[in-house]
Amino acid sequence: NAGVMQNPRHLVRRRGQEARLRCSPMKGHSHVYWYRQLPEEGLKFMVYLQKENIIDESGMPKERFSAEFPKEGPSILRIQQVVRGDSAAYFCASSPKYSLYNEQFFGPGTRLTVL
Amino acid sequence: AQTVTQSQPEMSVQEAETVTLSCTYDTSENNYYLFWYKQPPSRQMILVIRQEAYKQQNATENRFSVNFQKAAKSFSLKISDSQLGDTAMYFCAFMKQGEYGNKLVFGAGTILRVKS
């Protein structure tokens, strides 16, 4: 059973460009979470999605950031008009619909660098 | 809102010795989970150990154990017989218990260096 997949692993964008980060959850997992890790900091929650639904987006910046988890295909975190402050590692985690401990399984992360 | 505090930015320990990493949290919830995650230089997040708040018994996983003090809202991680491979950033995390999945709230992390 493959783990959580994220691609690309590294992404370089110039200021003003768009960044698209992809996350394929573990097989059978229907919950996806996105977290951001700024340099020298802990992970901060951004958004929690189920298939075709955003459940909790309380950690998402109000502008330029959006996320989706379509019925088919990976979850996408989209950052429009990137700025230098968006440079960070973005982690995706997934969990099954029913879980005794709500354990989240993390992907390897995407490191975004904005030039 | 919940907060998690790790007051030790960096720790070091000699190989084969024991080290304890501190974590405190603030919440008004009664039912929740606590976790310790390890992040080695590869940046992969690895679950080390979990604790359910309703359990009084401290969790253990091989060389890793916790000291969970619910009233004091304290959740420390003890690593026994430290190994070079334990060198990593360690994050304490909190999760509310609920019907649906819930977000993890992380502390700022403690860098642990194991010296030979």
Side-chain angles (χ1 to χ4, degrees):
Chain A
N1 190 4
V4 178
M5 311 272 287
Q6 287 188 252
N7 67 80
R9 293 293 307 276
H10 300 275
L11 182 61
V12 179
R13 286 287 178 267
R14 296 191 180 279
R15 280 178 295 170
Q17 291 184 320
E18 178 180 288
R20 281 185 176 240
L21 288 63
R22 293 174 185 77
C23 169
S24 296
M26 287 180 69
K27 188 176 180 180
H29 287 191
S30 58
H31 298 197
V32 166
Y33 310 79
W34 285 94
Y35 295 85
R36 176 165 66 173
Q37 185 178 27
L38 294 171
E40 310 301 325
E41 293 187 14
L43 281 72
K44 296 281 198 296
F45 168 78
M46 299 182 75
V47 62
Y48 161 41
L49 310 104
Q50 295 177 17
K51 288 280 187 181
E52 300 183 283
N53 282 305
I54 297 175
I55 307 302
D56 180 355
E57 57 182 345
S58 58
M60 285 280 269
K62 293 287 186 286
E63 298 176 350
R64 302 187 298 107
F65 285 73
S66 62
E68 62 176 5
F69 188 17
K71 188 176 180 181
E72 301 291 338
S75 175
I76 307 285
L77 179 67
R78 182 183 178 205
I79 310 171
Q80 295 178 290
Q81 299 174 333
V82 296
V83 300
R84 288 226 173 99
D86 296 333
S87 294
Y90 292 82
F91 288 90
C92 167
S94 73
S95 67
K97 185 175 182 180
Y98 300 109
S99 171
L100 184 61
Y101 303 113
N102 280 322
E103 182 176 346
Q104 296 179 16
F105 297 81
F106 281 83
T110 293
R111 185 174 295 191
L112 172 66
T113 301
V114 180
L115 301 177
Chain B
Q2 290 79 25
T3 58
V4 177
T5 302
Q6 293 180 248
S7 58
Q8 305 153 314
E10 294 188 31
M11 296 278 285
S12 61
V13 64
Q14 286 295 128
E15 200 174 5
E17 293 189 347
T18 296
V19 64
T20 299
L21 308 184
S22 301
C23 172
T24 58
Y25 58 94
D26 188 25
T27 185
S28 57
E29 301 287 332
N30 192 47
N31 297 315
Y32 50 87
Y33 303 105
L34 295 163
F35 304 85
W36 279 96
Y37 280 89
K38 170 184 176 181
Q39 187 179 46
S42 67
R43 288 189 158 257
Q44 177 71 52
M45 293 290 287
I46 301 165
L47 177 64
V48 174
I49 198 165
R50 74 166 71 82
Q51 174 80 42
E52 298 92 317
Y54 65 86
K55 286 188 177 178
Q56 292 187 341
Q57 186 173 4
N58 289 323
T60 62
E61 285 288 341
N62 301 314
R63 298 182 295 108
F64 299 88
S65 61
V66 299
N67 183 2
F68 173 48
Q69 302 289 329
K70 190 172 183 180
K73 296 180 182 174
S74 170
F75 183 60
S76 61
L77 174 69
K78 185 171 85 170
I79 305 174
S80 304
D81 185 25
S82 297
Q83 300 175 0
L84 294 177
D86 295 334
T87 292
M89 176 77 94
Y90 287 81
F91 292 103
C92 177
F94 172 99
M95 179 194 287
K96 281 195 312 184
Q97 186 177 351
E99 180 180 352
Y100 299 103
N102 281 298
K103 62 187 178 187
L104 286 160
V105 178
F106 287 90
T110 297
I111 298 172
L112 176 66
R113 295 188 175 87
V114 180
K115 300 178 179 179
S116 58

